[in-house]
Amino acid sequence: MSSYPPSSPAQPTTLRQRLAGLRGPAVPPRPLDARALAALAANPGCGRRALLDGAGVDKNALATALGSPAAFGQSQFAIVRGNSFEAKVKGDGGAELLRLVHAHLDPAAEPPGAGAHVPDLTAAGPEGRAARTALALREATAARAWTLLDHPMLALEVAGYPAYLEPDAVVVHPDGRWTVVEIKSFPMIDGAADAAKVGAAARQAAVYVLALEKTAGKLAGAEVGHTVLLVCPKDFSNLPTASPVDIRRERSVTRRQLDRLTRVEELAAALPEGLSFDPATRTTEELVEAVSAVDAAYAPECLAACELAFHCRERARTAGTVTALGRSVRGELGGLTTVEEALAAAAGAGCAEDPTAAALHRAARLRAEALESAAGVVA
């Protein structure tokens, strides 16, 4: 009989431990921001991004280790210019920012005076800062006075995992309404800014609004405005100007897409034990195998929003999937998932009962006839 005490049963691995193992036990998690969430909501079918973002994996380092580094991002000059402009807008206790909010969104209210409240939101860790922000919002709503929250911390559950978000500012109106303020360094020329950049800012602000609504739902008299204020430099100067942006559509789309995301624990549970995305402890071949173990949904739009887009594009092209041609093409081709299948259908080798294959074959015949007629005219 053994003299050793009986061994205790193995303790189940928690989700936090599992995600730490995926990114590397010694690697701190990268926090999710609103820009990443907006991109994630735009492609909810991509389990790869949902898992990597939920686990806090550094996708830029992972892409570099895979040999397909990301080729996008803000320049250091743009970051410095943006920080300088934001500091100017928020200077003097946020007087100019509050003036813009009053003028564009609440002109009937009493103008904000010099004594507008700017609470201290300092706390330990993102959880502490989120709790301090919630308390400041509660106090400001009860006080019924203009209040500026500078870089508050908001919490939002995404795919079963908490994400902590930091908007540029949130303003509490005297009537208890909360407004998200987005401060951008791109210019607003003659009262209008680049439509693509405004759209990206609106999608980002929609994520903040969703997070604010979680807090507002617990407070009597609180209301989150669905019109955010976009503050940009006026023309080619450094003077701030603003424009209201209605984000109700972006909010609805983002909410619906985030709800469709597979929960992180389900994605993690489907992976083999010992799998890791840590470039410091895994070879390139092991990282390629690990990334391939999670399904992706590549589309050309990913190139402007995801660090792994170039790796996923290469894999999609190698596999010949029609997703590499764009979501619209993928939707038109129905059950034809590869370029080879689409070309075969156009040549007449597809299923006769498949309307998509029949349409492709007919289009190929019409094209051939048109080219033949054009050649006859030239001759």
Side-chain angles (χ1 to χ4, degrees), residues 319-334:
T321 59
V322 296
T323 54
L325 304 177
R327 294 193 182 99
S328 60
V329 176
R330 174 69 184 89
E332 292 290 340
L333 291 178

Side-chain angles (χ1 to χ4, degrees), residues 4-336:
Y4 292 101
S7 58
S8 59
Q11 297 297 316
T13 303
T14 65
L15 176 61
R16 188 179 295 273
Q17 292 171 330
R18 180 69 170 127
L19 297 182
L22 290 176
R23 68 175 177 269
V27 180
R30 289 184 66 86
L32 272 172
D33 58 17
R35 185 173 298 176
L37 284 180
L40 188 59
N43 191 9
C46 187
R48 182 176 296 171
R49 173 151 195 169
L51 177 66
L52 294 176
D53 282 346
V57 174
D58 185 345
K59 298 196 299 297
N60 192 33
L62 179 59
T64 301
L66 291 170
S68 303
F72 66 90
Q74 277 189 307
S75 68
Q76 193 62 36
F77 173 75
I79 293 173
V80 171
R81 182 182 60 188
N83 291 339
S84 173
F85 179 68
E86 181 176 337
K88 179 181 181 64
V89 172
K90 293 179 179 177
D92 194 20
E96 179 62 13
L97 190 152
L98 289 172
R99 185 192 69 79
L100 290 171
V101 172
H102 174 262
H104 290 275
L105 298 179
D106 204 356
E110 182 181 350
H117 190 39
V118 183
D120 181 11
L121 303 179
T122 305
E127 297 93 340
R129 289 185 59 201
R132 180 68 189 88
T133 296
L135 178 60
L137 286 168
R138 183 181 297 110
E139 293 172 346
T141 304
R144 299 287 173 172
W146 287 103
T147 304
L148 169 63
L149 276 66
D150 185 6
H151 283 287
M153 184 66 73
L154 310 174
L156 179 67
E157 184 177 293
V158 179
Y161 203 73
Y164 293 96
L165 314 170
E166 188 177 0
D168 293 328
V170 171
V171 172
V172 179
H173 299 240
D175 61 0
R177 182 157 40 106
W178 303 350
T179 292
V180 171
V181 178
E182 276 289 278
I183 303 174
K184 299 297 184 182
S185 59
F186 55 80
M188 195 174 292
I189 301 173
D190 293 333
D194 181 87
K197 293 179 179 179
V198 173
R203 291 188 293 272
Q204 187 174 335
V207 178
Y208 297 137
V209 167
L210 289 172
L212 273 176
E213 288 177 344
K214 295 292 184 181
T215 303
K218 305 173 185 177
L219 297 178
E223 176 190 357
V224 182
H226 290 164
T227 299
V228 304
L229 192 68
L230 177 63
V231 181
C232 300
K234 182 178 181 180
D235 298 326
F236 298 101
S237 70
N238 200 37
L239 298 176
T241 188
S243 176
V245 180
D246 189 332
I247 53 92
R248 282 178 294 183
R249 176 182 174 278
E250 287 79 6
R251 177 205 167 277
S252 298
V253 171
T254 302
R255 174 74 279 170
R256 184 169 62 252
Q257 300 292 60
L258 290 179
D259 287 342
R260 288 177 54 198
L261 289 173
T262 305
R263 295 180 67 84
V264 172
E265 56 262 39
E266 295 176 16
L267 294 169
L271 300 178
E273 288 294 331
L275 184 142
S276 175
F277 302 103
D278 183 8
T281 61
R282 295 293 189 271
T283 64
T284 300
E285 292 74 17
E286 289 173 328
L287 291 174
V288 170
E289 183 179 353
V291 170
S292 300
V294 191
D295 290 337
Y298 170 76
E301 293 85 353
C302 297
L303 294 172
C306 182
E307 294 86 342
L308 285 179
F310 293 95
H311 173 79
C312 296
R313 181 180 66 175
E314 179 184 351
R315 295 287 160 172
R317 287 176 172 175
T318 301
T321 59
V322 296
T323 54
L325 304 177
R327 294 193 182 99
S328 60
V329 176
R330 174 69 184 89
E332 292 290 340
L333 291 178
L336 304 175

